């Protein structure tokens, strides 16, 4: 009978834990430039990528997907961004399809590493918010990320469903053992 008391206590503790610290982490993947991908913008829209970035809400653990041909993507310092200098990147990829994880809050500076492309507008500043940031008053979201955030509360429906499912399973196991259902 002692094991049944331990399981009952474990069930109560797990219920509290999973409601406080959900298991599922939700993040979004954004397609940079939407259908255009990462290409040199037209000469009359050299601010295209900064407009795209400002129309989205990025949080820590979100990912950016860059699609491009015969180009590259780099993360650089603010000075290198402003001067289109690509000699000291913090990150570099020329694979044609690059996923970049936004791993901390703050500003990220992206440029093309191909000579002349940054000067023609193939650059972007992304502002990343802490995952616990309150929702923005107004977000002009012209693109739909593949996984969305629940910006109205700290827990998404997926987190709550995972927590509830685990809690129900543990409760069933604990009470089943208590009442001899598994003997």
């Amino acid at each position: 009978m002692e094991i049944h008391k331990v399981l009952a206590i474990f069930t109560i503790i797990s219920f509290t834990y999973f409601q406080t610290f959900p298991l599922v982490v939700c993040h979004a993947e954004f397609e940079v430039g939407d259908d255009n991908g990462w290409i040199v913008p037209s000469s009359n829209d050299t601010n295209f990528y900064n407009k795209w970035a400002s129309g989205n809400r990025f949080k820590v653990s979100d990912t950016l997907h860059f699609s491009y041909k015969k180009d590259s993507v780099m993360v650089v310092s603010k000075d290198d961004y402003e001067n289109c200098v690509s000699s000291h990147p913090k990150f570099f990829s020329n694979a044609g399809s690059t996923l970049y994880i936004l791993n901390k809050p703050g500003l990220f500076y992206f440029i093309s590493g191909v000579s002349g492309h940054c000067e023609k507008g193939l650059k972007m500043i992304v502002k990343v918010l802490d995952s616990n940031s309150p929702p923005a008053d107004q977000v002009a979201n012209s693109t739909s990320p593949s996984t969305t955030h629940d910006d109205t509360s700290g827990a998404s429906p997926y987190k709550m469903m995972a927590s509830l499912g685990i809690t129900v399973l543990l409760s069933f196991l604990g009470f089943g053992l208590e009442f001899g259902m598994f003997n």
Side-chain angles (χ1 to χ4, degrees):
M1 271 305 202
E2 194 63 34
I3 188 73
H4 301 322
K5 290 179 184 175
V6 171
L7 283 173
I9 291 170
F10 178 76
T11 301
I12 292 168
I13 291 171
S14 66
F15 177 78
T16 303
Y17 177 82
F18 289 122
Q19 292 305 315
T20 306
F21 305 104
L23 287 178
V24 178
V25 177
C26 188
H27 70 276
E29 181 177 317
F30 295 85
E31 186 67 35
V32 175
D34 297 325
D35 294 335
N36 294 327
W38 183 245
I39 61 168
V40 175
S42 65
S43 60
N44 62 350
D45 198 12
T46 57
N47 207 25
F48 173 80
Y49 290 99
N50 281 330
K51 286 188 261 181
W52 176 86
S54 67
N56 289 289
R57 181 180 172 87
F58 304 102
K59 290 190 175 185
V60 173
S61 295
D62 284 350
T63 57
L64 299 178
H65 181 239
F66 292 83
S67 295
Y68 51 93
K69 295 179 183 172
K70 297 182 182 180
D71 214 311
S72 63
V73 61
M74 304 172 121
V75 176
V76 296
S77 68
K78 180 180 179 182
D79 287 341
D80 286 352
Y81 172 87
E82 290 171 351
N83 297 304
C84 289
V85 174
S86 60
S87 56
H88 303 292
K90 298 176 182 180
F91 171 84
F92 169 81
S93 178
N94 63 356
S97 179
T98 301
L99 275 179
Y100 187 85
I101 300 171
L102 301 168
N103 60 356
K104 63 183 179 180
L107 298 176
F108 287 78
Y109 300 92
F110 295 92
I111 66 171
S112 167
V114 173
S115 181
H117 286 192
C118 177
E119 292 83 355
K120 292 178 182 176
L122 192 51
K123 61 183 189 172
M124 171 178 69
I125 301 172
V126 170
K127 181 178 181 180
V128 179
L129 303 173
D130 190 333
S131 296
N132 298 323
S133 297
D137 291 332
Q138 184 177 14
V139 177
N141 193 358
S142 62
T143 61
S144 298
S146 60
T147 305
T148 58
H149 291 286
D150 176 11
D151 286 332
T152 59
S153 70
S156 74
Y158 302 111
K159 291 178 184 178
M160 293 188 303
M161 290 300 291
S163 298
L164 181 61
I166 290 171
T167 303
V168 168
L169 178 65
L170 291 173
S171 298
F172 178 73
L173 178 63
F175 290 114
L177 287 172
E178 179 70 30
F179 293 107
M181 292 173 66
F182 301 114
N183 288 340

